[in-house]
């Protein structure tokens, strides 16, 4: 499923792409979005993974696969910074938000991997990276099991945010277009932000976060909860420092840390595919 050795940039890229694809597959499967025929089965140790495949009988799953492939192009070019999926029951109000943050490393720093128990593991060997990958997927599966059911009719959408300084203004990944509605997304409920996990190699960093309604969480490890969640999300605010705590909602300290925080005077480049309406799901 993942490369045996992760010592080159290409092997690291393969890992990140597969980890992204498996994570998105996990989300769609555990949330009951597509039929069983849309998934293949793979195993990671004792963890049974359901992986999306091109199911021509299911237009929705076929579209998600194309979205993922489009994101692969942006990852290969090192343009994409953040992508997020939003599950919503009404326009501009989302029910669940899954965020994937990417960083690309030019040097070879010491690697930090945070486990689901808050412990710190350091090292640069492939074994540590694989353990972090397993931990992230296992935590994601556990969180999905604790979420309440989704509404019958929901819209699934995805946004790609870029590093403006390296991304050509006219660039769009295959299957994507310029975001036609770059306004804020409003959360329909009392938001709780959960740190799913992170995986760091010598070349890439990937972090995953989940935002959902507190009432829909049956239980959650307190170590995963990020305090002071916002009720609205803007594309400008998705990069605010993750450890920063503020009572001002418009600071939007939802997502991930970044060396440079994009201010309101610098418009963020955003791409989106066609929205996917899931009538009755599977």
């Amino acid at each position: 499923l993942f490369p045996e050795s992760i010592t080159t940039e290409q092997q690291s890229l393969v890992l990140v792409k597969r980890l992204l694809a498996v994570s998105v597959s996990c989300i769609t499967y555990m949330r009951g979005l597509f039929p069983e025929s849309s998934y293949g089965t793979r195993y990671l140790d004792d963890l049974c993974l359901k992986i999306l495949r091109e199911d021509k009988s299911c237009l929705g799953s076929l579209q998600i696969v194309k979205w993922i492939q489009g994101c692969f192009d942006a990852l290969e070019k090192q343009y994409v910074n953040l992508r997020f999926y939003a599950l919503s029951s009404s326009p501009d109000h989302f029910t669940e938000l899954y965020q994937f943050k990417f960083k690309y490393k030019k040097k070879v720093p010491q690697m930090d991997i945070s486990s689901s128990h808050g412990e710190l593991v350091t090292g640069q060997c492939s074994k540590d990276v694989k353990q972090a990958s397993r931990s992230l997927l296992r935590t994601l599966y556990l969180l999905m099991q604790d979420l309440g059911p989704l509404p019958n009719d929901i819209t699934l959408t995805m946004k790609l945010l870029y590093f403006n300084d390296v991304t050509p203004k006219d660039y769009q990944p295959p299957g994507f277009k310029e975001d036609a509605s770059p306004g804020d997304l409003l959360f329909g409920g009392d938001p709780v932000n959960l740190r799913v996990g992170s995986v760091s190699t010598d070349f890439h960093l990937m972090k995953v976060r989940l935002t959902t309604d507190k009432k829909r969480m049956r239980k959650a490890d307190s170590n995963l909860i990020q305090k002071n969640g916002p009720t609205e999300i803007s594309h400008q605010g998705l990069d605010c420092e993750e450890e920063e705590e503020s009572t001002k909602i418009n600071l939007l300290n939802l997502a991930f840390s970044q060396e440079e925080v994009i201010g309101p005077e610098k418009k963020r480049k955003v791409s989106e595919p066609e929205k996917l309406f899931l009538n009755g799901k599977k």
Side-chain angles (χ1 to χ4, degrees):
L1 184 61
F2 298 125
E4 287 298 322
S5 176
I6 308 168
T7 57
T8 68
E9 185 173 5
Q10 181 59 34
Q11 290 169 338
S12 177
L13 176 63
V14 170
L15 170 75
V16 171
K17 289 164 67 174
R18 290 183 181 177
L19 191 57
L20 172 63
V22 173
S23 298
V24 174
S25 297
C26 166
I27 292 167
T28 61
Y29 183 80
M30 296 299 290
R31 303 312 282 137
L33 300 185
F34 305 120
E36 190 75 27
S37 61
S38 297
Y39 299 89
T41 301
R42 299 288 296 274
Y43 287 90
L44 182 62
D45 296 335
D46 61 338
L47 188 61
C48 179
L49 303 173
K50 295 293 184 177
I51 313 296
L52 274 169
R53 58 188 178 187
E54 293 184 283
D55 180 10
K56 295 182 179 180
S57 65
C58 180
L59 180 61
S61 64
L62 194 62
Q63 189 64 50
I64 294 294
V65 171
K66 292 181 179 179
W67 289 5
I68 295 172
Q69 292 171 344
C71 188
F72 285 172
D73 184 81
L75 277 171
E76 290 168 0
K77 292 179 170 64
Q78 298 190 357
Y79 291 163
V80 69
N81 174 28
L82 176 71
R83 77 195 291 248
F84 63 90
Y85 286 91
L87 296 171
S88 60
S89 54
S90 62
D92 298 324
H93 284 73
F94 64 87
T95 304
E96 291 177 8
L97 181 69
Y98 299 89
Q99 301 177 76
F100 298 83
K101 168 69 184 280
F102 303 100
K103 283 188 179 181
Y104 312 96
K105 303 178 183 180
K106 299 301 181 182
K107 297 181 180 180
V108 183
Q110 183 73 9
M111 180 176 63
D112 294 331
I113 302 174
S114 296
S115 74
S116 60
H117 300 290
E119 300 169 347
L120 188 65
V121 182
T122 59
Q124 297 184 19
C125 68
S126 300
K127 181 180 178 181
D128 291 334
V129 176
K130 291 179 183 178
Q131 179 58 41
S133 302
R134 286 192 292 267
S135 177
L136 187 151
L137 292 174
R138 195 176 299 275
T139 301
L140 187 59
Y141 263 81
L142 291 174
L143 286 174
M144 296 297 98
Q145 293 173 6
D146 289 333
L147 289 176
L150 289 168
N152 286 331
D153 296 331
I154 61 171
T155 299
L156 176 62
T157 190
M158 185 177 76
K159 307 278 186 179
L160 298 183
L161 282 72
Y162 302 91
F163 289 107
N164 282 358
D165 57 341
V166 296
T167 306
K169 292 183 179 180
D170 60 349
Y171 171 76
Q172 296 295 341
F176 284 78
K177 62 181 181 179
E178 184 176 356
D179 186 13
S181 55
D184 295 347
L185 298 174
L186 300 178
F187 188 85
D190 182 12
V192 56
N193 302 312
L194 303 169
R195 299 181 176 93
V196 178
S198 65
V199 175
S200 180
T201 73
D202 288 342
F203 307 96
H204 298 88
L205 171 66
M206 172 177 163
K207 292 185 179 181
V208 183
R209 300 287 187 271
L210 161 64
T211 302
T212 187
D213 189 346
K214 187 176 182 180
K215 296 179 181 178
R216 301 179 63 252
M217 285 293 300
R218 298 188 180 98
K219 60 181 179 178
D221 188 335
S222 60
N223 291 327
L224 302 178
I225 298 176
Q226 181 177 338
K227 298 180 180 179
N228 294 335
T231 56
E232 66 177 29
I233 312 301
S234 78
H235 298 143
Q236 303 298 340
L238 284 166
D239 290 314
C240 293
E241 291 292 335
E242 65 181 45
E243 300 302 332
E244 177 184 349
E245 295 188 2
S246 172
T247 56
K248 295 182 179 180
I249 290 176
N250 61 0
L251 286 182
L252 303 174
N253 58 344
L254 167 65
F256 310 95
S257 62
Q258 182 182 347
E259 285 86 9
E260 288 189 33
V261 176
I262 304 299
E265 71 282 355
K266 187 174 181 181
K267 185 177 180 181
R268 198 65 190 271
K269 178 178 173 62
V270 183
S271 296
E272 67 171 359
E274 295 294 333
K275 289 183 173 59
L276 184 60
F277 180 69
L278 305 175
N279 188 3
K281 297 176 289 181
K282 69 178 182 180

